[in-house]
Each structure stands twice: as structure tokens, then as C-alpha cells.
Amino acid sequence: MTDTLRPVETGLPETPGSPKTLKRSIGVVGGTLLTLSCVTPASTLFVVVPDLFGSLGTATALTIAIGSLLCIAVAFCYSELGTLIPSAGGEYAMVSTMAGRLAGWLVFVLSLLVVMIVPPVIAMGTADYLAPLVHLDPAATGAGVMLLATLAGLLDLRANAWITGIFLVLEVIAAGVVALLGFTHSHRGAGSLVSMQVSGAHGHTDTVTAMLVISGLAIALFATQGFSTAVYLSEELENPRRNVARTVLATLAISSVVILVPVVAITMGASDIKELTNGDLSSMVTAWSNSAVGTFVSLCVALAIINAGIVMVIQNSRVLFASARDKAWPEPVNNVFSKLGRFGSPWVATLAVGVPGALLCFVNLDTLYGVTGVSVTGMYLLVAIAALLCRRGSHKHTPAWRMPLWPAMPILLIVVLTYILTQQEATYLWWTGGITAVATLYWALYLRPRRETRWLVSIPEDAQA
């Protein structure tokens, strides 16, 4: 157990054989565009939120609002840790440095679950929103989106920031259209947002309990989860000590507004509780306007999903690249995954996450979707623990952005996230726990016996000053 609390040595001087680093090529604007695209508000609104409407009804907006408030505390933790440890490894580099290598390894496994499962799940929704123009097979279309995203991920990151920025503008417009239509066709007042009603069996209206809201918080946290992408890009952000925090906090603020405002409008604009619970947002938009507007919104959502695929592949490849650079795998695997292409992007790692993602589109991911919510909550919990430990020793005096209300903020977050985990379905907890157990065995049998040569978390030299 001492390994979980022993900080990792990271202040090694760079030598000719030192780990490869990514080039710093983007500022706050480019980083915010990329991280907002990873949150992908429109695809979250049209793919994730309908499931929440199905279980929470009119309490959906309240649940997302609570989740967004919790994410402020999470964002504070990410901002401080991300400026202290600006590494492409993201959560695992931060947690390994502050809470020990085993804790960092478990965070890596949880983050890998999230970033590997989410892109194909969202990509498979593309076909539904292309339906106004052409009918396609969801699995094949999702696989095509993943392959397209993989090709885009091989390009220079600065070019990708502008590509995703253009797509982001379209999806924000779509979300704005939905909000405008919902508010202008309101069937109920603001009081409905706390009426806690959902359509039940046989046309009856059921009450949404507090326990259902707490259970839904795992998915609500996942809805805005993409703001953490900023820490994955911290090796490519200019002046990371300042810009990581700015990017994280700006992304969370913008994405929360872009998601929550349309949800409020939809809740007030749905003709009845049954329509709201069904969550068919495309039909609502068409009913509020006409088929042309419905088609426009659907196409914007399809582009948003493609956009999310591009950014998530970029994010995933940086995680895999960093894990190879930090010697998480046998040496031949590390050598392959740490290769950089002509644009400075980790091209082998990009292919390694994009191609399997395309294959996952042909797998039933319903259970894994639930596992994602548990994994995000568990990952945030370990990040909060690392934030609680981040002002020990030399890190106390390291120049970095510092969160307000420390240590109360991470302590409160640890308590709340632990309680949220206890309210999740047992099946999802067992799946996540089983995967974590296997990862712990890998740590115990391979990584720990080779602690001098494996899982050596590194920080770029220009970020150590």
C-alpha cells in the first residue's frame, strides 16, 4: 500500500536518450476549441441527454446543473494539477506524481476505458442524424466516422484546432436553434424544472426520487467530461503553467451553458411529459419548426459527432503515446507507440486507438456505456485525492495555478463522488471493478517488480522549470 502514497521522481534532467516530447504549437484559443469539441455539446445534447430524459424526465436539467456545479470543483483540481504536472499523460501523470504509481496506473486504466469506449458509442449515432438525407447502417457509419477521425488525427494539431473549430461553430448554432425553438414553444413554466416528473407505465406520471437524481449524476458528470482534454494537450499548449487552467475553466463554463440552456428549453417546450420522456429531440425540433430546420439541426449534430471523433482520437493517442514514453508496456510495444510522425503527432498511437474504435462500432456497447459513467466518477475521485496531496513537499512552492478553498474543495469532492459511486448499478460496478482488478494484477506481476525501468512518469523539461 505504500506505493499508492509514494510520489514518483520526475525531476530528471534531459539527456540524449531522454523521452520524446510533443511540440508546443497551440494557445488558449486553439486549446479551448479542441477541448470544447471533445465535450461536443451538440452530440452530448442529442445522444446522451435523451437517455437522461428517459429516466429523469423534468429533473434532467436539475441533475445536469448539479453535475456542472460538481465539475467546477473537479475543474479546479484539474487546473492546479495540470499546471503542476503538464504532461500528455493527463490524469495518470498527475495522480502518479502526487499519490504514487499504483494510483496513477489505476487512473490510467479508467481513463483508457473512457477514451476507448466513448468515441465509437457516439460515432454510431451518426446514421440517425443523417437519416433525413440517406439511410445508413449505424455500425458501418460509426466505423467510417472513426476511420475518418483517425486520418484527421494524423495531421498537425494546429490544423486540427481550426478544423474542429469550424465544426464547433455549427454544433453551437444547432444547440442555439434548439434552445430558441424550445423557449418560443413553451408549454410549461420554469417551475417544471423542479417538478420531478417522468412518464411511467400505462401513461401514468411517476415522481423522480432524490436517489434517481444522485444515480443520474454519473452520466451528468460524463456529459461535460471533455473539459479534462486540456491536460492531455498540456505538452502542446504554449505556456502551460498559465494556459492549462485557463483552457480547463473556459471550456467547462462554455460547455455547461451550451448543454444546459437547450435542456431547459426542451423541458419547457415538450408538449407533455410523455414526449419529454421519450427523448426524440429530432421530432420535437421538426414539430416546433418544419422539416427543413429539423434536417439542418440533424446535419449539424452529425458533423458534431464527426468533430468529437477527431478530438477524441487525438486525445486517446496522446494518452497511449505518453504511457509508452513512460514505459508502461514491454519495450517493443513502448518503442512502437512512442513514434512521432512528420507533423509531430504520435501516428502509431493514433492508429492503435482509431482502428480498434472502428471495430468496436460492431459490438453492443450498452453495458460499456454504463461502465463509462462509473469510470469517469472513479477517475474524478482519484484526481480529487491527488489534488488533496498536491501541496506536499517541493510541489508546495512550484509556480502553478492554485485553486481556492483548498483543502475543503477536494475533500468535499471525495465525499460526494464516493457517495455517487455507491448509488450506481451493481452490474456496472462489477464490470469496472473486474477490469481494475486485472489492471492491478498487471501492476503487481509486471510493473512493480520492474519499478526501476517501468512506469517512469516523465514531465517535459520545459515544464519543469
Side-chain angles (χ1 to χ4, degrees):
M1 289 299 293
T2 57
D3 282 325
T4 64
L5 296 176
R6 185 182 299 127
V8 178
E9 296 296 331
T10 57
L12 299 175
E14 188 168 352
T15 66
S18 63
K20 298 177 182 178
T21 60
L22 301 167
K23 65 177 182 179
R24 300 197 182 280
S25 60
I26 54 176
V28 175
V29 174
T32 302
L33 289 175
L34 285 168
T35 48
L36 276 174
S37 299
C38 196
V39 178
T40 180
S43 61
T44 297
L45 179 63
F46 281 83
V47 177
V48 177
V49 170
D51 289 337
L52 286 175
F53 278 133
S55 59
L56 298 174
T58 59
T60 299
L62 176 63
T63 304
I64 293 176
I66 296 172
S68 297
L69 289 176
L70 286 176
C71 279
I72 294 175
V74 176
F76 283 164
C77 294
Y78 269 89
S79 295
E80 179 159 345
L81 291 170
T83 53
L84 280 171
I85 314 296
S87 166
E91 289 95 353
Y92 87 72
M94 300 185 306
V95 175
S96 292
T97 304
M98 298 301 171
R101 293 174 177 174
L102 176 56
W105 173 250
L106 295 180
V107 163
F108 168 69
V109 172
L110 291 174
S111 66
L112 198 61
L113 276 175
V114 173
V115 298
M116 290 299 294
I117 293 171
V118 174
V121 169
I122 292 179
M124 284 190 287
T126 309
D128 293 337
Y129 294 102
L130 290 177
L133 295 182
V134 59
H135 292 282
L136 300 171
D137 176 70
T141 305
V145 169
M146 288 302 302
L147 292 176
L148 178 63
T150 302
L151 292 175
L154 297 174
L155 299 175
D156 178 72
L157 193 61
R158 188 187 298 272
N160 270 315
W162 286 108
I163 292 172
T164 57
I166 293 170
F167 285 176
L168 180 62
V169 170
L170 290 175
E171 66 175 289
V172 171
I173 290 173
V177 169
V178 172
L180 178 62
L181 290 173
F183 284 129
T184 55
H185 293 80
S186 294
H187 288 82
R188 58 188 61 83
S192 63
L193 300 175
V194 291
S195 62
M196 313 293 281
Q197 294 180 327
V198 65
S199 179
H202 310 298
H204 296 294
T205 299
D206 295 335
T207 300
V208 178
T209 64
M211 289 299 100
L212 281 175
V213 171
I214 293 172
S215 178
L217 282 175
I219 302 300
L221 289 173
F222 162 62
T224 55
Q225 186 266 335
F227 67 83
S228 63
T229 303
V231 298
Y232 292 98
L233 300 175
S234 59
E235 284 189 38
E236 293 156 283
L237 280 171
E238 300 165 350
N239 195 354
R241 297 291 188 197
R242 180 184 62 186
N243 290 342
V244 169
R246 290 182 176 182
T247 304
V248 168
L249 296 173
T251 302
L252 175 60
I254 296 170
S255 61
S256 296
V257 171
V258 172
I259 294 171
L260 186 57
V261 172
V263 170
V264 171
I266 292 166
T267 303
M268 297 172 62
S271 59
D272 53 38
I273 299 298
K274 182 178 180 180
E275 182 182 49
L276 181 66
T277 303
N278 288 339
D280 189 349
L281 305 190
S282 294
S283 296
M284 290 188 201
V285 171
T286 301
W288 290 334
S289 54
N290 53 55
S291 59
V293 175
T295 299
F296 169 76
V297 171
S298 293
L299 292 179
C300 286
V301 173
L303 287 175
I305 293 172
I306 296 172
N307 187 30
I310 293 172
V311 179
M312 289 179 185
V313 167
I314 292 172
Q315 169 184 326
N316 302 357
S317 65
R318 270 58 181 177
V319 176
L320 198 55
F321 164 83
S323 71
R325 186 188 59 189
D326 295 337
K327 310 297 184 183
W329 317 105
E331 196 59 28
V333 179
N334 293 329
N335 291 337
V336 170
F337 285 156
S338 61
K339 290 183 179 294
L340 298 178
R342 60 176 296 189
F343 295 112
S345 61
W347 68 275
V348 176
T350 300
L351 292 174
V353 299
V355 174
L359 296 176
L360 283 175
C361 290
F362 298 94
V363 177
N364 188 328
L365 295 177
D366 288 344
T367 299
L368 294 181
Y369 189 79
V371 170
T372 302
V374 174
S375 299
V376 169
T377 307
M379 184 171 64
Y380 285 170
L381 176 60
L382 288 171
V383 168
I385 292 173
L388 186 61
L389 303 174
C390 72
R391 300 190 188 182
R392 300 184 304 168
S394 61
H395 297 294
K396 183 177 182 180
H397 305 290
T398 301
W401 185 91
R402 299 296 183 178
M403 77 176 81
L405 301 178
W406 184 94
M409 192 75 74
I411 291 174
L412 177 62
L413 198 56
I414 290 169
V415 172
V416 172
L417 291 175
T418 300
Y419 184 69
I420 290 174
L421 277 178
T422 64
Q423 302 304 309
Q424 302 308 302
E425 290 188 26
T427 302
Y428 303 151
L429 292 171
W430 278 111
W431 270 106
T432 310
I435 294 170
T436 303
V438 171
T440 304
L441 284 176
Y442 178 80
W443 156 264
L445 299 178
Y446 182 77
L447 292 178
R448 186 176 183 181
R450 299 166 177 81
R451 58 183 300 112
E452 301 301 325
T453 59
R454 289 291 176 268
W455 199 234
L456 306 173
V457 177
S458 60
I459 304 174
E461 186 183 22
D462 65 345
Q464 293 182 33

